[in-house]
């Protein structure tokens, strides 16, 4: 036995263990999705009443879906909340959209904050800062502009805010959208993203994304306010981390976050994925190794070699069976998360799934080769640990 043989033996064992772990994640996600998601929220009598919620809506630009998305926040079944529209540019067309909704729903407390504040490098926090300072309620809901709400979504999130819970977040998903880009988005968020998100929540691992987050305001203030997270672009991750570090728990609500941006293009979607890769690599360097290996085709090829080396099994047959079972598990998970009829047929799902799986390693490599992040009109450079600085032109 040569040193090379021992190295290859150890590598093959590693691939087998990692492969087995990914299948555990698959099964956990499917079972947890069935148990956790899409429970009907009810307005239950509480001795102290339901706590008030300040909704922070950072806006920039007015895409075709902005009005309908924002309108869902005015029609929620929750007893006490206010909406703070945060808009950096005083000439932004989003202001007119917000004013139209204020006129249509005068009974809902809402305010518009313009100009923002320069408290750090993170443009989202700069935009929300004035709206946050003016909040009047003990709970803060930070919600991206492209999110739609159901009537009971806020109620569902508040009902999950138990005594030991500091933060409730929604699992990212998408509304039904037409075209191949809409299919690709739904396949990604309902399979690859959901698999990790649900398993991480079950295992109490920080997987928080900040597109729809309900958090206790006093815990943010104890940490130094929103500005304490303004040195990061991934402020959502570090916000959740600070809660966990202080002994609190975070949890996912039973309703996913329904993304409905007016921009639905493959190029735009892939740019988002690359931006998130760059953030994960900067925050968690082990992402460089484990994320590419977590993809179906890469992991299948590596494990096929491992079983050939260890057991002399047919690697092509193994890889085909691995891919087929992975595919069916993804279909099951997506169907559970959708909870209704999918907006595309099985053939469309096959095409979307194959394209996403095949393109993922390329998108990961492309993100590494261009580490700077472009966000709106700004460009940022990431340092290890997730701290960012703006690149001045």
């Amino acid at each position: 036995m040569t040193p090379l043989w021992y190295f290859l033996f150890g590598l093959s064992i590693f691939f087998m263990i990692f492969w087995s772990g990914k299948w555990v994640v698959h099964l956990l996600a499917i079972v947890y999705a069935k148990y956790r998601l899409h429970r009907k929220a009810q307005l239950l009598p509480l001795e102290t009443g339901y706590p008030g919620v300040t909704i922070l809506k950072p806006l920039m630009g007015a895409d075709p879906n902005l009005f309908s998305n924002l309108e869902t926040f005015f029609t929620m079944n929750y007893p006490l909340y206010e909406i703070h529209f945060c808009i950096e540019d005083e000439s932004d067309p989003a202001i007119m959209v917000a004013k139209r909704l204020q006129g249509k729903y005068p009974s809902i407390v809402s305010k518009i904050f313009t100009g923002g504040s320069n408290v750090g490098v993170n443009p989202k926090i700069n935009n929300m800062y004035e709206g946050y300072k003016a909040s009047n309620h003990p709970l803060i809901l930070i919600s991206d502009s492209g999110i739609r709400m159901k009537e009971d979504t806020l109620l569902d999130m508040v009902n999950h805010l138990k005594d030991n819970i500091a933060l409730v977040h929604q699992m990212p998903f998408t509304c039904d959208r037409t075209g191949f880009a809409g299919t690709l988005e739904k396949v990604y968020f309902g399979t690859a993203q959901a698999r990790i998100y649900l398993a991480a929540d079950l295992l109490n691992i920080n997987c928080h994304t900040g597109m729809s987050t309900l958090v206790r305001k006093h815990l943010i203030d104890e940490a130094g306010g929103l500005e304490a997270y303004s040195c990061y672009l991934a402020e959502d991750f570090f916000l959740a981390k600070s809660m966990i570090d202080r002994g609190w728990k975070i949890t996912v609500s039973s309703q996913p976050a329904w993304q409905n941006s007016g921009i639905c293009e493959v190029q735009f979607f892939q740019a988002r994925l690359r931006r998130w890769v760059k953030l994960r690599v900067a925050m968690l360097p082990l992402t460089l190794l484990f994320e590419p290996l977590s993809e179906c085709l890469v992991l299948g090829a590596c494990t096929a070699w491992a079983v050939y080396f260890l057991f002399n099994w047919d690697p092509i047959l193994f890889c085909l069976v691995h891919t087929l079972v992975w595919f069916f598990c993804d279909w099951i998970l997506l169907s559970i998360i959708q909870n209704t009829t999918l907006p595309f047929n099985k053939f469309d799902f096959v095409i979307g799934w194959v394209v996403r799986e095949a393109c993922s390693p390329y998108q990961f490599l492309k993100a590494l080769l261009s580490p700077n992040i472009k966000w709106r009109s700004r460009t940022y450079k990431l340092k290890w640990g997730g701290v960012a600085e703006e690149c001045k032109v």
Side-chain angles (χ1 to χ4, degrees):
M1 301 295 182
T2 65
L4 177 60
W5 185 92
Y6 282 111
F7 170 77
L8 294 178
F9 178 79
L11 186 62
S12 61
I13 294 297
F14 168 77
F15 285 145
M16 289 297 298
I17 294 174
F18 192 82
W19 178 81
S20 300
K22 289 300 297 183
W23 283 110
V24 171
V25 169
H26 258 293
L27 296 176
L28 288 177
I30 291 172
V31 173
Y32 192 56
K34 190 67 176 178
Y35 160 77
R36 183 72 169 183
L37 298 181
H38 303 295
R39 295 180 175 271
K40 186 65 176 178
Q42 296 181 348
L43 193 61
L44 302 175
L46 299 179
E47 293 182 3
T48 57
Y50 275 84
V53 180
T54 297
I55 301 173
L56 300 181
K57 293 294 295 186
L59 306 178
M60 178 179 286
D63 67 46
N65 294 344
L66 183 62
F67 183 91
S68 63
N69 289 339
L70 295 182
E71 188 172 23
T72 62
F73 287 81
F74 285 85
T75 58
M76 293 188 298
N77 179 26
Y78 193 81
L80 181 61
Y81 67 93
E82 62 183 359
I83 306 172
H84 287 184
F85 296 108
C86 305
I87 306 168
E88 182 179 12
D89 189 347
E90 295 182 358
S91 63
D92 196 306
I95 294 176
M96 296 305 299
V97 175
K99 287 182 176 180
R100 285 174 57 199
L101 287 165
Q102 287 179 321
K104 187 175 180 179
Y105 298 94
S107 62
I108 302 297
V109 178
S110 62
K111 300 176 183 177
I112 298 174
F113 297 84
T114 60
S117 296
N118 187 17
V119 296
V121 70
N122 187 300
K124 183 177 178 179
I125 289 182
N126 289 341
N127 196 8
M128 294 190 299
Y129 186 71
E130 295 300 324
Y132 176 81
K133 286 198 307 179
S135 59
N136 297 303
H137 298 304
L139 300 182
I140 299 292
L141 174 66
I142 300 174
S143 176
D144 287 355
S145 61
I147 298 296
R148 292 182 68 86
M149 302 288 266
K150 295 183 178 180
E151 288 187 358
D152 61 344
T153 301
L154 182 55
L155 178 62
D156 176 75
M157 297 180 77
V158 173
N159 282 342
H160 281 85
L161 200 68
K162 308 302 181 183
D163 291 342
N164 62 338
I165 302 294
L167 182 152
V168 177
H169 53 114
Q170 290 185 276
M171 186 193 76
F173 196 47
T174 64
C175 293
D176 294 349
R177 291 139 77 84
T178 60
F180 179 70
T183 300
L184 196 61
E185 284 185 350
K186 192 171 284 285
V187 168
Y188 170 76
F189 284 107
T191 60
Q193 172 82 1
R195 188 187 318 125
I196 298 300
Y197 213 88
L198 291 167
D201 185 69
L202 176 62
L203 299 174
N204 294 316
I205 298 172
N206 182 10
C207 61
H208 172 236
T209 62
M211 59 183 63
S212 183
T213 301
L214 183 73
V215 61
R216 300 181 188 272
K217 183 186 177 187
H218 74 91
L219 294 179
I220 299 178
D221 292 336
E222 286 178 6
L226 274 184
E227 59 269 37
Y229 309 99
S230 61
C231 60
Y232 308 107
L233 287 187
E235 79 292 335
D236 45 8
F237 175 85
F238 291 98
L239 173 63
K241 182 177 183 298
S242 72
M243 306 296 172
I244 295 171
D245 290 345
R246 285 179 277 168
W248 290 84
K249 292 185 178 181
I250 67 173
T251 189
V252 70
S253 69
S254 69
Q255 293 188 20
W258 298 98
Q259 300 176 79
N260 190 43
S261 169
I263 304 175
C264 188
E265 301 172 354
V266 173
Q267 185 177 3
F268 177 77
F269 171 64
Q270 290 178 336
R272 290 179 72 194
L273 297 185
R274 291 195 298 272
R275 183 170 71 244
W276 293 338
V277 167
K278 297 172 187 180
L279 290 170
R280 289 194 294 271
V281 168
M283 294 184 300
L284 304 168
L286 285 178
T287 298
L288 279 168
L289 172 63
F290 291 117
E291 185 162 323
L293 190 57
S294 298
E295 298 295 341
C296 174
L297 301 182
V298 176
L299 182 59
C302 292
T303 313
W305 168 81
V307 298
Y308 173 73
F309 180 83
L310 293 171
F311 312 116
N312 202 30
W313 291 358
D314 185 338
I316 296 178
L317 179 61
F318 179 91
C319 195
L320 289 175
V321 173
H322 157 88
T323 303
L324 184 62
V325 177
W326 190 295
F327 169 84
F328 280 116
C329 286
D330 276 351
W331 172 261
I332 293 170
L333 180 59
L334 176 60
S335 299
I336 294 172
I337 296 170
Q338 175 73 9
N339 200 41
T340 58
T341 303
L342 286 163
F344 44 78
N345 57 39
K346 291 182 176 62
F347 178 77
D348 291 333
F349 173 74
V350 170
I351 299 301
W353 187 89
V354 169
V355 169
R356 199 218 72 80
E357 294 294 340
C359 291
S360 184
Y362 166 74
Q363 294 297 333
F364 187 86
L365 180 60
K366 188 174 181 180
L368 296 183
L369 295 177
S370 179
N372 288 350
I373 288 183
K374 293 184 178 180
W375 190 355
R376 302 285 186 175
S377 60
R378 300 181 176 97
T379 302
Y380 300 90
K381 180 180 180 181
L382 290 174
K383 301 177 181 179
W384 293 115
V387 175
E389 62 181 22
E390 186 173 355
C391 300
K392 301 297 182 180
V393 179

